[in-house]
Amino acid sequence: MSVDYLISILGPMLEGAQMTVLLFLIAIVVSIPLGFLLTLAVNSSIKPISLLALIYIYVMRGTPLLLQLLFICFGLPMLPVVGEYLVLDRFVAACLGFILNYTAYFAEIFRGGLLAIDKGQYEASQVLGLNKWQTLSRIILPQMFRIALPSVANESVTLVKDTALLYAVAVPELLHFAQTAVNRDFTIVPFFVAGIIYLIITLVLTMFFKWLEKRFKFE
């Protein structure tokens, strides 16, 4: 393995890594707030909304992400009548699939955070004369986010690794360029390089969430 060879494969693989990071950022930025809204829907006093939210979470968590990606990329265009209007760019379709899937997981994480808050917190808020919105925004949500932060960090690392599924829907990401180099050069070195790049990305992400936990003084 020469330095020249590493340099020759590193360029395309870093290009693929950019696609990996871009998908991760889009999915995490959109699915976290959507997950929180879905948590509120689950806890809604309006039963049909709560039921629909629970069914959505059950379906998205109960089926493989790969199946959801394949359905959005290749299944939607095959639907009768509306299929021709549902032909999406592969990357856009992949983003949609990741957002829909991870929204369900983040919703469950936030729901767990809400359940971990002692009921006495609500009673204390009433004693202090806080209304529902003040109780939610000043008392409940800050505690919920602190409780949920380690689980959000873990799910975010999983999201980075799941971006390798882009390979299955022909989006040229990091693993795609690694596999191409392996097939072309008959060496497993590109796999090691891809692994190191994934580790660097997850290390940066882990350090970021550790900083967040420290900033919010999570114990």
Side-chain angles (χ1 to χ4, degrees):
M1 180 179 64
S2 66
V3 175
D4 289 340
Y5 178 71
L6 284 177
I7 294 174
S8 68
I9 65 172
L10 199 54
M13 293 179 70
L14 288 177
E15 182 183 336
Q18 290 179 2
M19 187 69 75
T20 297
V21 172
L22 179 60
L23 172 70
F24 168 79
L25 291 176
I26 293 173
I28 201 82
V29 167
V30 179
S31 59
I32 284 182
L34 287 180
F36 175 67
L37 293 177
L38 191 59
T39 300
L40 295 181
V42 170
N43 290 282
S44 172
S45 57
I46 304 174
K47 292 301 179 186
I49 293 179
S50 176
L51 181 61
L52 286 174
L54 286 171
I55 292 174
Y56 175 83
I57 291 173
Y58 175 74
V59 171
M60 300 309 293
R61 295 179 68 217
T63 55
L65 174 56
L66 178 58
L67 175 62
Q68 296 162 16
L69 291 175
L70 292 175
F71 177 77
I72 294 172
C73 287
F74 307 114
L76 288 181
M78 298 176 67
L79 291 176
V81 183
V82 296
E84 61 180 305
Y85 303 105
L86 300 175
V87 181
L88 303 175
D89 174 82
R90 294 289 173 82
F91 182 72
V92 173
C95 287
L96 179 61
F98 273 84
I99 290 170
L100 293 176
N101 181 274
Y102 272 85
T103 291
Y105 281 95
F106 283 124
E108 282 298 272
I109 289 173
F110 293 140
R111 192 171 70 88
L114 283 178
L115 292 175
I117 297 175
D118 190 88
K119 291 183 179 178
Q121 299 284 324
Y122 295 92
E123 296 169 356
S125 300
Q126 288 181 340
V127 172
L128 292 173
L130 300 179
N131 60 37
K132 287 186 177 179
W133 169 247
Q134 290 172 327
T135 301
L136 186 67
S137 61
R138 298 181 184 179
I139 307 297
I140 303 304
L141 291 185
Q143 294 184 70
M144 184 203 74
F145 281 115
R146 280 199 294 270
I147 294 170
L149 197 51
S151 298
V152 170
N154 184 59
E155 200 63 29
S156 300
V157 170
T158 302
L159 172 58
V160 171
K161 294 182 289 185
D162 277 352
T163 58
L165 292 175
L166 286 175
Y167 180 75
V169 291
V171 175
E173 46 72 63
L174 175 57
L175 188 60
H176 164 82
F177 288 105
Q179 181 68 57
T180 301
V182 168
N183 292 339
R184 183 192 61 219
D185 305 327
F186 298 102
T187 172
I188 60 172
V189 170
F191 283 154
F192 285 105
V193 175
I196 291 171
I197 294 175
Y198 277 118
L199 287 173
I200 292 173
I201 295 173
T202 55
L203 176 63
V204 171
L205 192 60
T206 301
M207 293 174 64
F208 171 72
F209 277 104
K210 290 292 183 186
W211 174 78
L212 276 184
E213 290 179 14
K214 186 177 180 180
R215 181 178 176 81
F216 289 100
K217 298 179 180 178
F218 182 84
E219 296 179 357

